[in-house]
Amino acid sequence: MDKEKAITVKNLVKKFGNFIANDNLTFDVYKGEIFGFLGANGAGKTTTLKILCGLSKPTSGQINVAGFNVYTETNKIKNNIGYMSQKFSLYEDLTVYENIRFYGGIYGLKLKDIRKRADELIQKLGLTNVRNELLSSIPLGWKQKLAFSVAIFHHPKIVFLDEPTGGVDPVTRREFWDMIYDAASEGITIIVTTHYMDEAEYCNRVCIMVDGRIEAIDTPAQLIKTYNAANMNDVFIQLARKAKQQ
Amino acid sequence: MKKFIGFVKKEYYHIIRDPRTLFVLIAMPIAQILLFGYVITNEIKNASIGILDHSNDEITKQISSKILSSGYFKLDASINSEQEIHEAFRKGKIKEVIVFEPHFSEKLKKEGTAKIQIIADASDPNIANLLTNYTEAIIRNYSNSITTQNTQISLITPEVRMLYNSELKGAYLFVPGIIAMLLMLISALMTSISITREKELGTMEVLLASPLNPFTVIAGKVTPYLMLSFIDACLILLTGYFVFNVPVNGSIILLLAECLLFIFMALSLGILISTATKSQQAAMLISLVALMLPTILLSGFIFPVENMPLILQYLCKIMPPKYFINIVRTIMLKGGNLSTLWSDTLILAGMSIFFILVSVRKYKIRLE
Amino acid sequence: MNFVEINNISKSYGSHKALLETSFSVKKGELFGVIGPDGAGKTTLFRILTTLLLADSGSARISEYDIFKDYKKIRQIVGYMPGRFSLYQDLTVEENLAFFATIFGTTIKENYELIKDIYVQIEPFKDRQAGKLSGGMKQKLALSCALIHKPEILILDEPTTGVDAVSRKEFWDLLRKFKNMGITIIVSTPYMDEASLCDRVSLMQEGKIMQINTPDNIINNYKPILFEIHSNNMHDLLIKLRKYHNNSNVFLFGQTVHYSSINEINKDDLKMYLKNNGHANVEINVCTPTIEDCFLWLMNQNN
């Protein structure tokens, strides 16, 4: 099948001194795909994510993100991606609307467009009543949904989500995934990391990293079959255990 | 007691594991004192002066050339009348004027004494003081040389007049000031930061949930910084003594004891700040603005308290550094002892006790 | 006799009500889980129990000590691990442990037996600074530090948040061990799947306890009918299912959708409906609810 590739990674290596954080990674991510990154703390997920976002230079390898080279075209990459993490996303001391306007401004959208799209967005998220409230006063679940919407506000080709649902209640967590599906169906490619293994199963494909290497990469269903496991949690524990014994 | 030692040990690890901060703490006092010291001596090398010679005879010419050839002074303009003196000062071109009285050498021969007036612009008291000291020394030197030559008693009495700041006291004002400033900075800033850091990192939550009592925490925090600040005080005194020949005329033990008292006061202030703030940033800002600025501006370090408006003078009275700077100056330069300093010492001690009591009271045994 | 007794504790921050008349009790030697998302009031509850915060109203005691009057006693017998990693990052593993031992007036040696099981795991890194440990190791060190004074009760605030699945499993194995040694444990977590590892759990949401029971009983108390549905296009399946019936809930669960309803739903009717809406190959099975299903249902009831 000839699907359009959003990201191609060939022989990616990243070293910090003697420590190899990413050991010869090769994978592709297709357009409109929801691609999950799993791995224990320190397995190298964050390093890979940073390289793909253009925040960190790889030691070697050919990497292409949204059609741009990560060595030379990091600025173009940054214009074409969105990023959201659990820790940093929005400004607590700005209002809902001000946050949206600020991020729209960063990506160079026109004020008129920002206003129009911000109004649509606020209505869609059901935040009309708290439009001018400080972000610090609205519940965590709403913030996370808003943070995601802001990350795709400038219609990026790819959006990176770093543990986006940590600590969020189960209902909001699922509403959040609905939004991810919506975005994917519009053709946005989603790269997501998570510690919730049931969420791994919502992904089209997942890549499990162990000690800087890709240990497995496939659809969740296929992985469960291959490793003869009950669910993704079992798959993950099998792979991570194996690494520890070595 | 074991708990206390354990706590101090932990603080000690924090300090040595952060070599950059430690380096700044040790190097800063030396850097500061060199900076202040050289800025002041540099200016003296090329000070512009004026000479008003009413007599214009052999001896006044000799004295003038001695002064001008000393290397400290350079003649800016010859001044012909008293009125021109003020004008020259106001223009800010010159820093000192030397006035010889009329019939200088005649008087010296007949009466055995003659007068030279040294007028200095004391709007910068440090420099004015140094300049007049140098001038006096040169004149006295000359006076001695002619005395031995002629075996008759002759005296030239230089009369010093300080303009704009007549109550100037003592040279080397900057060493006591720097001691006060740095001890305040290190003690108050570092303790307040190290306590608020525990709040920020969440370790305070564990300490609070443990049976440690507030007094152990506070004492454990204070002790390492007390030692560090004391080392700094010694470093400043040593640098002052060896590089700039700033003497300690009074008892060195009394001086060090007073330093300890001041450090203790600053530490308790630091703890007080930390009980009122939640973040390192806030603690730093408060320490800098609320402690450093008054230490520099309202303590007599740079601007003499006597010349301030009355309101500010009262404000100075509640600033601990004012008392400390006074104490240090008195001991170092005038050789004063406890019998003259007991009131200032008592005020400082009272302030320390007040701050420590308030901070132990304000130290929260629970989260906000 | 109950070891921990909490009666009608309430706490507000300004207008925000963090805890609403919370009551429960924990038996001696029990492993009790407090389960709920961020903002459920878990941290507030734990801080009140550890005497770090004062409740606005209500009372509580641990052992025979009142949390307000005897706070000094409570601080002696409680081992507390706050939600954030709260050890000294610039101290080594061993220095951290030694420090916490001294502030409780004991030594590592004295209570080594107790922490032996965890300590052998972190011992290879004992000269490493705590800030440089991996997430799982940090949590194990924090647990050792909370245990070093041989507390009668452990209060652990989200010890497994942000920790990978393998380390999480190892952490729970350790908790089991300490429970078997007779230590009472109250632990909070946002991961619903960890509920089954506790003796009893309390499900919390927005300052309220929705249910307290054993994990099995919570599942037995689940009333609605529950289907597990799988199709090729999951996103579209969600949209179509939501339109099917009013009194129902549709949630993604791993590779399937959980469809629950209080009304009688005929499986074949549902299959037909989906077939007519472009889902030819659907599998529909009745399934046993998980704690998460129960939580979702209880949340729905409360709103």
Side-chain angles (χ1 to χ4, degrees):
Chain A
M1 205 160 50
D2 211 20
K3 279 186 276 189
E4 198 183 327
K5 284 172 185 171
I7 296 176
T8 58
V9 176
K10 224 178 192 178
N11 307 112
L12 163 63
V13 175
K14 176 73 184 180
K15 289 182 189 168
F16 296 104
N18 283 329
F19 176 70
I20 302 172
N22 283 166
D23 188 0
N24 208 13
L25 311 184
T26 300
F27 63 91
D28 294 326
V29 181
Y30 303 105
K31 186 168 182 284
E33 191 173 33
I34 303 174
F35 190 83
F37 253 106
L38 309 183
N41 309 95
K45 289 174 298 182
T46 313
T47 310
T48 314
L49 230 57
K50 275 188 182 157
I51 290 171
L52 295 181
C53 292
L55 296 174
S56 159
K57 282 236 156 64
T59 309
S60 65
Q62 289 124 40
I63 301 111
N64 232 295
V65 177
F68 302 108
N69 186 312
V70 293
Y71 293 97
T72 52
E73 298 173 302
T74 46
N75 277 334
K76 284 183 187 155
I77 290 179
K78 285 175 192 168
N79 272 318
N80 282 286
I81 61 168
Y83 178 79
M84 173 202 165
S85 87
Q86 188 198 345
K87 285 152 213 137
F88 167 77
S89 37
L90 301 171
Y91 293 97
E92 296 273 314
D93 51 355
L94 294 186
T95 65
V96 170
Y97 176 71
E98 284 162 352
N99 265 296
I100 301 174
R101 200 182 58 191
F102 172 72
Y103 278 97
I106 285 186
Y107 288 100
L109 301 184
K110 287 195 196 103
L111 194 61
K112 217 174 79 187
D113 292 344
I114 295 177
R115 271 202 201 118
K116 191 168 142 261
R117 269 152 76 177
D119 287 339
E120 284 168 14
L121 177 62
I122 287 172
Q123 202 168 17
K124 195 175 115 194
L125 292 175
L127 297 176
T128 317
N129 289 333
V130 294
R131 187 181 192 275
N132 295 318
E133 300 273 327
L134 289 185
L135 205 74
S136 52
S137 68
I138 71 170
L140 176 82
W142 296 8
K143 278 187 217 171
Q144 296 296 83
K145 285 196 267 181
L146 179 63
F148 177 71
S149 309
V150 165
I152 57 169
F153 192 67
H154 60 294
H155 298 309
K157 290 187 180 148
I158 305 169
V159 61
F160 293 89
L161 308 173
D162 194 4
E163 290 182 38
T165 55
V168 173
D169 73 72
V171 173
T172 313
R173 213 144 66 78
R174 288 180 170 77
E175 287 169 357
F176 194 89
W177 273 93
D178 277 1
M179 292 175 65
I180 294 180
Y181 275 118
D182 276 340
S185 67
E186 284 166 24
I188 297 180
T189 309
I190 319 271
I191 311 277
V192 57
T193 72
T194 178
H195 282 309
Y196 292 96
M197 287 305 143
D198 59 328
E199 287 189 350
E201 301 188 14
Y202 307 157
C203 299
N204 298 122
R205 279 193 309 148
V206 294
C207 151
I208 300 182
M209 286 187 70
V210 177
D211 295 339
R213 283 170 289 107
I214 294 180
E215 200 58 49
I217 183 165
D218 215 325
T219 62
Q222 193 56 45
L223 284 172
I224 290 169
K225 218 189 231 169
T226 312
Y227 291 92
N228 197 15
N231 50 38
M232 277 305 289
N233 198 36
D234 282 354
V235 174
F236 183 78
I237 287 178
Q238 273 187 41
L239 286 170
R241 276 270 160 80
K242 203 175 83 191
K244 277 199 171 167
Q245 281 155 8
Q246 279 168 4
Chain B
M1 196 59 197
K2 260 191 185 159
K3 291 182 186 180
F4 169 71
I5 292 170
F7 206 100
V8 172
K9 212 157 127 195
K10 172 195 83 96
E11 289 301 319
Y12 165 76
Y13 290 137
H14 288 321
I15 294 170
I16 57 159
R17 298 272 156 84
D18 187 0
R20 236 179 303 171
T21 309
L22 188 62
F23 175 76
V24 170
L25 291 185
I26 301 287
M28 187 169 58
I30 298 174
Q32 291 268 14
I33 199 163
L34 292 179
L35 214 65
F36 272 83
Y38 280 119
V39 166
I40 288 170
T41 43
N42 261 348
E43 277 213 51
I44 282 160
K45 279 204 176 113
N46 293 309
S48 306
I49 59 165
I51 294 176
L52 175 55
D53 196 341
H54 287 302
S55 166
N56 214 0
D57 55 39
E58 193 75 3
I59 295 181
T60 59
K61 277 181 188 159
Q62 272 185 34
I63 294 177
S64 297
S65 75
K66 268 250 149 74
I67 290 172
L68 291 175
S69 61
S70 69
Y72 297 117
F73 306 101
K74 96 179 177 236
L75 186 65
D76 189 76
S78 51
I79 290 164
N80 299 319
S81 69
E82 306 277 350
Q83 285 86 349
E84 285 175 45
I85 295 177
H86 280 275
E87 206 169 307
F89 273 129
R90 262 187 222 112
K91 281 183 186 154
K93 279 202 287 193
I94 54 167
K95 296 198 155 54
E96 187 184 74
V97 171
I98 300 165
V99 185
F100 295 97
E101 67 174 329
H103 318 293
F104 190 86
S105 45
E106 270 172 53
K107 264 194 174 169
L108 192 62
K109 275 170 196 155
K110 276 190 211 151
E111 300 164 26
T113 172
K115 276 183 183 160
I116 298 176
Q117 197 180 26
I118 303 167
I119 307 170
D121 173 3
S123 55
D124 191 336
N126 296 315
I127 290 169
N129 209 350
L130 284 170
L131 287 176
T132 54
N133 279 345
Y134 286 152
T135 318
E136 274 185 84
I138 294 167
I139 295 169
R140 203 163 284 136
N141 224 345
Y142 178 80
S143 159
N144 285 344
S145 72
I146 55 169
T147 315
T148 45
Q149 268 170 26
N150 301 347
T151 61
Q152 78 188 92
I153 305 156
S154 70
L155 270 174
I156 300 167
T157 5
E159 178 194 281
V160 179
R161 244 180 82 200
M162 291 290 179
L163 284 183
Y164 315 120
N165 174 17
S166 49
E167 284 259 305
L168 184 74
K169 297 165 200 155
Y172 308 118
L173 289 160
F174 65 98
V175 170
I178 290 176
I179 296 182
M181 188 177 88
L182 286 173
L183 292 187
M184 194 66 144
L185 180 76
I186 292 165
S187 312
L189 186 67
M190 294 311 291
T191 36
S192 62
I193 284 183
S194 94
I195 293 181
T196 42
R197 186 177 55 195
E198 299 227 19
K199 288 189 190 173
E200 268 182 23
L201 291 176
T203 45
M204 194 49 105
E205 204 174 332
V206 191
L207 293 185
L208 284 175
S210 80
L212 267 187
N213 68 38
F215 196 76
T216 315
V217 177
I218 288 181
K221 281 278 173 198
V222 160
T223 311
Y225 289 104
L226 188 75
M227 293 195 277
L228 203 63
S229 307
F230 189 67
I231 292 173
D232 269 340
C234 295
L235 276 176
I236 298 170
L237 288 175
L238 287 174
T239 321
Y241 183 76
F242 285 111
V243 182
F244 298 107
N245 303 318
V246 182
V248 181
N249 292 325
S251 153
I252 183 95
I253 294 177
L254 179 64
L255 180 62
L256 293 179
E258 296 278 1
C259 284
L260 270 181
L261 178 64
F262 183 69
I263 292 169
F264 187 67
M265 193 286 313
L267 290 170
S268 29
L269 251 181
I271 290 167
L272 190 62
I273 290 173
S274 66
T275 57
T277 48
K278 278 184 186 165
S279 70
Q280 294 185 61
Q281 245 181 15
M284 202 183 300
L285 206 67
I286 291 180
S287 303
L288 285 177
V289 176
L291 297 183
M292 286 306 294
L293 289 182
T295 307
I296 296 172
L297 301 177
L298 296 177
S299 64
F301 170 22
I302 291 177
F303 307 110
V305 177
E306 292 81 354
N307 294 3
M308 291 180 191
L310 211 57
I311 294 180
L312 286 185
Q313 288 197 29
Y314 283 122
L315 203 56
C316 291
K317 285 216 163 90
I318 57 164
M319 297 294 159
K322 172 190 177 285
Y323 298 98
F324 180 65
I325 289 179
N326 188 37
I327 290 172
V328 178
R329 278 182 188 162
T330 313
I331 298 176
M332 288 180 75
L333 308 170
K334 296 184 189 158
N337 56 35
L338 206 55
S339 64
T340 51
L341 291 170
W342 64 272
S343 65
D344 284 354
T345 310
L346 220 59
I347 291 172
L348 266 189
M351 283 175 166
S352 317
I353 292 169
F354 173 75
F355 289 137
I356 206 88
L357 283 182
V358 175
S359 37
V360 171
R361 257 191 80 95
K362 277 201 74 182
Y363 182 88
K364 295 184 183 70
I365 55 159
R366 302 173 203 275
L367 297 170
E368 326 278 309
Chain C
M1 190 182 101
N2 288 325
F3 190 67
V4 179
E5 195 91 57
I6 298 168
N7 295 311
N8 294 317
I9 293 265
S10 295
K11 175 82 185 173
S12 307
Y13 301 105
S15 61
H16 172 68
K17 292 186 171 69
L19 271 183
L20 288 164
E21 309 217 322
T22 304
S23 304
F24 64 85
S25 54
V26 179
K27 287 192 265 301
K28 181 130 188 81
E30 196 173 21
L31 176 48
F32 187 86
V34 177
I35 303 204
D38 285 6
K42 301 180 304 256
T43 301
T44 305
L45 174 66
F46 282 17
R47 285 182 171 166
I48 289 172
L49 271 182
T50 49
T51 76
L52 290 172
L53 282 180
L54 291 176
D56 296 340
S57 62
S59 65
R61 62 162 184 85
I62 298 178
S63 191
E64 70 261 40
Y65 306 118
D66 181 90
I67 54 160
F68 178 66
K69 280 191 302 226
D70 310 315
Y71 75 94
K72 283 187 179 159
K73 282 275 185 247
I74 290 194
R75 291 178 184 189
Q76 304 262 9
I77 61 164
V78 170
Y80 173 51
M81 206 175 134
R84 293 190 287 172
F85 177 67
S86 47
L87 300 177
Y88 296 100
Q89 314 250 2
D90 53 344
L91 263 56
T92 65
V93 168
E94 204 173 19
E95 286 161 359
N96 263 301
L97 202 52
F99 172 69
F100 284 103
T102 16
I103 64 170
F104 282 96
T106 177
T107 58
I108 301 181
K109 228 186 218 163
E110 213 169 300
N111 292 321
Y112 185 75
E113 268 313 296
L114 189 66
I115 57 157
K116 201 176 72 188
D117 287 324
I118 328 177
Y119 199 60
V120 289
Q121 296 182 33
I122 48 176
E123 202 161 19
F125 313 105
K126 74 178 178 7
D127 293 323
R128 192 181 289 190
Q129 290 186 11
K132 292 181 182 146
L133 294 173
S134 72
M137 282 296 166
K138 277 183 185 165
Q139 294 308 77
K140 281 176 196 163
L141 174 60
L143 182 61
S144 309
C145 290
L147 272 167
I148 192 70
H149 62 290
K150 219 173 177 179
E152 291 177 41
I153 176 168
L154 275 178
I155 297 182
L156 314 173
D157 194 5
E158 298 204 10
T160 53
T161 295
V163 174
D164 66 76
V166 178
S167 303
R168 254 158 62 193
K169 196 172 174 314
E170 288 171 356
F171 197 89
W172 277 97
D173 289 344
L174 287 169
L175 290 189
R176 240 322 112 182
K177 252 180 210 165
F178 295 122
K179 174 209 144 62
N180 291 338
M181 289 163 110
I183 298 175
T184 311
I185 302 172
I186 303 184
V187 57
S188 69
T189 176
Y191 298 100
M192 306 282 156
D193 55 336
E194 290 179 347
S196 59
L197 304 166
C198 303
D199 296 335
R200 278 193 311 143
V201 295
S202 114
L203 302 184
M204 282 188 83
Q205 168 77 6
E206 287 172 354
K208 277 175 288 190
I209 292 183
M210 299 191 293
Q211 201 173 75
I212 299 176
N213 220 323
T214 61
D216 287 345
N217 280 340
I218 285 183
I219 286 168
N220 292 338
N221 288 343
Y222 185 80
K223 291 287 178 321
I225 188 165
L226 183 68
F227 291 124
E228 185 181 74
I229 306 171
H230 182 78
S231 162
N232 294 331
N233 185 344
M234 299 296 280
H235 186 218
D236 188 62
L237 179 68
L238 277 173
I239 296 167
K240 297 287 152 61
L241 279 172
R242 281 193 186 127
K243 288 180 184 152
Y244 183 59
H245 214 285
N246 280 336
N247 284 323
S248 62
N249 280 307
V250 186
F251 293 116
L252 270 170
F253 262 82
Q255 290 186 280
T256 60
V257 168
H258 279 195
Y259 180 86
S260 65
S261 177
I262 326 169
N263 302 25
E264 275 299 312
I265 299 284
N266 187 301
K267 199 167 123 181
D268 295 325
D269 290 350
L270 180 60
K271 200 163 191 169
M272 193 55 91
Y273 163 78
L274 288 173
K275 198 173 178 181
N276 293 339
N277 282 284
H279 290 270
N281 287 322
V282 285
E283 274 176 53
I284 304 180
N285 296 307
V286 177
C287 77
T288 11
T290 63
I291 293 285
E292 196 153 354
D293 287 303
C294 302
F295 197 94
L296 288 166
W297 175 58
L298 289 167
M299 266 180 86
N300 201 33
Q301 277 193 319
N302 272 322
N303 291 339

